Amino acid sequence: MRNRDVVDIFNKVADMLAIRGDQIHRILAYRKAAESIESLGRDINVVYAEGKLTEIPGIGDTLAAKIEEMLTTGRLEFYEKLAKEIPPSLVDLLRVEGLGPKRVKQIYETLNITTLEELTVAAREGRLRDLPGMGAKSEAKLVASIDALSRHGDARTSVGMAWPIAQQILQTLKVVPGVTNSAVGGSLRRMRETIGDIDLLVAADSPDAVMDRFGSLDMVETVVARGPTRSRVTLLNGLGVDLRVLPAERWGTLLCYFTGSKDHNVKLRELALKKGFSLNEHAFTPLDGTSEILCASEEEVYKRLGLEFIPPRLREDRGEIEAALAGNLPTLVEEADILTDLHMHTTWSDGKLSVMDMARAARDRGLRGIAITDHSVSLGVANGLSVESLRQQAIEIEAANSALGPDFRVLHGTEMEIRADGSLDYPDDVLAELDFVIASLHSALGQSREQVTRRLLNAINNPHVDMIAHPTGRLLPDRAGADLDMDAVFSAAAASGTILEINANPARLDLNDVHARMAIHQGVKIAVNTDAHHSDDFELLQYGVATAQRGWAAANDIVNTWPIEKLVQHVNEVSTKVRDRG
Ligand code: DGT
Ligand code: CA
Ligand code: CA
Ligand code: ZN
């Protein structure tokens, strides 16, 4: 058994004791033990081998004996005996908002319900309202809570939803007196496309004021746990937030440990052990028993391990530690490197602002150029442009360019439908009039791999098509994209010079991180664009850049970092080359 398993069983025992109606101090003892093992940061098997279990906070002789039993036999007799009295599956019922241990016991004893499924059925059939102390109203509330649980349950949240919330909470915590540092950690700092929960880290000498402020935030629904260095809350939207607080001199190890990923941490710890240290969120602790070494910055943590600093977006155990050891980490593209945005919409199709409004807003954000890429005619739902409208739009774009002067360039583009049969929405002679041609799939995404891949390759190989937007067409969290043969797509894009997009909208992030890395490896040029329908959407760029970073992209891999003249030249050369070859 490992730390997690012991934590799991102790938490279950605490819940089962609570349902049984046991003494509160006994229940709390198991919870405290679980929390301390959870934040132990060392392999509990090692601690046991050293005979030091009782040095763990909250572990006395009784609990140490139980841990020993689990580690040596893989079982816990006490748990098995308890399970005969209180079915362990009852613990799941406690996850339903508004269901406490007493009520769970009553439901079990009177209706013999032992699982969340059985409870759901009983509640829907109206069998709970007759229990003493219940009623039709509280039964209806319970049904709503069960629904909410299955909605949020184990579902992951979009990074675009979680990031602003995390920033908002941090704004409040960083001004609490005594706070010297604060940051987002976990998968959100690594900018995974979806996140399980928000992790926040704070450096402060005394955690109490921070914990108080955290628990009393308006958006908090319940404080799930509060310990000496850790609190966990559930927000009104069902999202979980973990907060850990340690003194400033431990900030580096704290931030590193809770940024993860877990697999990255495991590798760091192995490196530390080779150098004679255990490593957790608190410190490097020498195995020879001399006093611990603190790191106030993350840089020191990596330095001590003999590694280059590894940017958070690479910390997925995808070769970054090996690269850091060899001094081979990429210099990642940064948001500040981005000079253009090559995909956006205006009132000509389904956007909310005019060409000029979008251009001014982009210029105000420091960009040097944009491409206006409204939808083409067959995307009727998005008010796609006919050839005549497209030609009228050209006049407006020319006017915008004269008005904006030489330091900003508006390219006339299109986001052209690739129709279900693989043909393109505009004829070649119309495409030839445009500065920048995007082709994309919005319909018939469920076609067979062979069919949908052939459809996309047809667009990639058209000499007028400069870029493919959101290649798979997926929508997070649950609409899968086209089942493309990615290898075929990447090699065709590399051969033809067709740019592939990382669409920065957090509902897309398409290409995803892994595909972006494969594409770059095969020599494909990548664009990061917002697909803005309003100037507010320019904010979304950060998610696209983060995805590019997670794909190990350097600035030169991303065409938006190129001066616009170079970009235009690339697009023209590629068209000519392909035309000559074909
Ligand atoms: P999520 O929330 O599922 O999107 O993913 P994370 O990576 O945010 O995971 P979370 O919230 O469970 O934990 C935050 C970080 O804490 C995680 O990235 C690494 C660290 N951590 C958590 N549990 C463990 C563990 O059992 N072992 C190690 N080495 N690190 C852990
Ligand atoms: Ca997390
Ligand atoms: Ca967490
Ligand atoms: Zn678009």
Side-chain angles (χ1 to χ4, degrees):
M1 285 199 176
R2 319 210 41 166
N3 296 31
R4 268 169 191 270
D5 306 306
V6 176
V7 169
D8 218 283
I9 292 200
F10 277 1
N11 276 326
K12 271 206 176 122
V13 166
D15 286 339
M16 286 153 76
L17 290 174
I19 293 169
R20 181 163 86 172
D22 221 289
Q23 290 167 321
I24 187 75
H25 75 258
R26 203 162 170 218
I27 299 164
L28 287 180
Y30 279 99
R31 283 208 209 291
K32 172 95 179 34
E35 187 180 337
S36 26
I37 296 164
E38 192 169 19
S39 61
L40 185 60
R42 296 186 63 199
D43 187 341
I44 193 153
N45 292 282
V46 175
V47 179
Y48 166 66
E50 294 169 354
K52 290 182 174 167
L53 284 179
T54 53
E55 287 181 26
I56 301 172
I59 309 286
D61 290 335
T62 318
L63 287 176
K66 292 202 161 67
I67 295 171
E68 174 173 38
E69 190 193 340
M70 284 189 270
L71 297 182
T72 53
T73 69
R75 305 174 38 206
L76 182 61
E77 212 195 322
F78 174 64
Y79 171 80
E80 290 171 7
K81 262 169 59 188
L82 190 60
K84 293 208 175 101
E85 200 183 328
I86 306 289
S89 56
L90 279 178
V91 166
D92 294 341
L93 272 59
L94 293 172
R95 288 165 57 214
V96 179
E97 203 59 49
L99 268 194
K102 281 199 185 113
R103 180 70 76 193
V104 169
K105 187 180 189 208
Q106 178 199 39
I107 290 171
Y108 168 55
E109 287 178 348
T110 55
L111 299 171
N112 200 29
I113 285 169
T114 59
T115 67
L116 194 53
E117 286 73 16
E118 291 170 8
L119 178 76
T120 310
V121 173
R124 290 194 197 290
E125 291 176 356
R127 286 191 278 132
L128 297 176
R129 64 184 66 173
D130 297 323
L131 293 175
M134 288 280 292
K137 228 180 179 176
S138 37
E139 188 185 58
K141 252 187 165 167
L142 215 56
V143 171
S145 302
I146 293 170
D147 283 344
L149 183 66
S150 62
R151 265 201 320 276
H152 307 306
D154 301 316
R156 298 178 64 83
T157 302
S158 149
V159 66
M161 141 93 101
W163 182 261
I165 293 175
Q167 293 307 320
Q168 197 185 335
I169 300 177
L170 277 185
Q171 290 309 319
T172 314
L173 297 185
K174 84 203 285 181
V175 297
V176 172
V179 170
T180 55
N181 235 327
S182 62
V184 175
S187 53
L188 192 52
R189 182 165 183 236
R190 306 196 310 277
M191 281 270 190
R192 275 190 63 178
E193 61 193 32
T194 62
I195 64 125
D197 70 358
I198 295 177
D199 299 280
L200 299 177
L201 308 164
V202 164
D205 284 331
S206 100
D208 279 341
V210 184
M211 298 293 188
D212 287 344
R213 189 72 197 85
F214 181 56
S216 63
L217 290 169
D218 286 342
M219 65 176 101
V220 167
E221 186 182 81
T222 35
V223 177
V224 181
R226 174 165 174 167
T229 63
R230 168 183 178 195
S231 286
R232 180 176 178 82
V233 302
T234 305
L235 302 181
L236 292 167
N237 64 6
L239 200 59
V241 187
D242 278 328
L243 168 68
R244 327 248 172 177
V245 186
L246 285 181
E249 61 268 26
R250 301 183 191 270
W251 175 247
T253 43
L254 176 71
L255 184 57
C256 183
Y257 187 90
F258 289 111
T259 294
S261 66
K262 197 177 156 226
D263 293 342
H264 178 88
N265 286 357
V266 167
K267 284 256 171 87
L268 293 188
R269 220 159 35 214
E270 284 168 9
L271 276 180
L273 284 172
K274 278 196 203 139
K275 295 185 182 288
F277 298 96
S278 72
L279 170 61
N280 63 14
E281 69 270 39
H282 296 282
F284 283 92
T285 309
L287 300 171
D288 64 12
T290 50
S291 56
E292 54 182 19
I293 298 165
L294 308 186
C295 295
S297 76
E298 249 186 348
E299 282 76 8
E300 291 170 55
V301 176
Y302 285 96
K303 200 166 162 203
R304 190 157 283 282
L305 292 168
L307 297 172
E308 279 185 80
F309 179 77
I310 301 178
R313 273 97 207 231
L314 298 184
R315 299 184 196 171
E316 298 290 348
D317 189 23
R318 293 176 181 164
E320 73 279 8
I321 292 177
E322 293 74 6
L325 276 171
N328 265 339
L329 282 172
T331 304
L332 298 178
V333 61
E334 302 276 348
E335 201 174 329
D337 299 330
I338 302 292
L339 303 177
T340 60
D341 191 338
L342 303 172
H343 181 173
M344 69 188 63
H345 301 271
T346 69
T347 45
W348 283 85
S349 64
D350 60 348
K352 298 285 178 283
L353 299 177
S354 69
V355 169
M356 205 51 195
D357 288 342
M358 292 300 271
R360 282 210 196 86
R363 191 184 54 182
D364 290 349
R365 291 181 64 90
L367 293 186
R368 309 299 296 275
I370 57 174
I372 297 292
T373 57
D374 280 303
H375 293 286
S376 65
V377 62
S378 80
L379 202 62
V381 288
N383 191 25
L385 273 65
S386 65
V387 172
E388 297 84 87
S389 312
L390 195 65
R391 287 183 173 142
Q392 281 165 17
Q393 192 185 37
I395 298 168
E396 183 169 325
I397 286 178
E398 210 181 300
N401 273 317
S402 330
L404 289 160
D407 296 334
F408 192 87
R409 175 102 185 257
V410 184
L411 301 178
H412 188 204
T414 178
E415 179 177 15
M416 174 180 57
E417 283 304 291
I418 303 170
R419 298 185 195 134
D421 64 2
S423 64
L424 300 175
D425 227 8
Y426 292 127
D428 282 0
D429 61 323
V430 172
L431 296 181
E433 297 170 19
L434 295 169
D435 300 320
F436 193 70
V437 174
I438 303 178
S440 54
L441 301 169
H442 287 105
S443 60
L445 296 177
Q447 290 175 340
S448 72
R449 168 178 284 220
E450 201 205 340
Q451 197 177 5
V452 75
T453 302
R454 197 163 354 105
R455 199 170 146 207
L456 196 64
L457 293 185
N458 184 45
I460 289 174
N461 290 326
N462 181 305
H464 297 288
V465 171
D466 301 310
M467 185 185 96
I468 304 295
H470 46 71
T472 76
R474 72 163 177 178
L475 285 177
L476 294 167
D478 40 34
R479 196 181 90 188
D483 179 24
L484 293 168
D485 176 347
M486 283 298 183
D487 271 326
V489 169
F490 296 153
S491 56
S496 65
T498 307
I499 299 161
L500 298 183
E501 180 181 69
I502 294 175
N503 190 290
N505 190 308
R508 292 194 181 275
L509 299 178
D510 178 14
L511 300 174
N512 69 20
D513 52 359
V514 171
H515 284 150
R517 189 170 173 193
M518 286 167 59
I520 291 167
H521 190 72
Q522 295 199 32
V524 177
K525 290 302 173 199
I526 302 289
V528 179
N529 302 312
T530 62
D531 196 356
H533 288 67
H534 189 282
S535 58
D536 293 348
D537 297 339
F538 289 143
E539 279 294 323
L540 304 178
L541 180 64
Q542 57 177 324
Y543 306 113
V545 171
T547 302
Q549 293 174 330
R550 290 175 58 82
W552 292 51
N556 191 46
D557 299 321
I558 306 298
V559 300
N560 312 73
T561 68
W562 300 353
I564 197 153
E565 301 75 24
K566 176 177 168 182
L567 180 77
V568 169
Q569 198 185 353
H570 170 84
V571 161
N572 292 340
E573 275 172 8
V574 164
S575 304
T576 320
K577 196 168 65 197
V578 174
R579 224 180 346 250
D580 290 349
R581 206 182 53 188

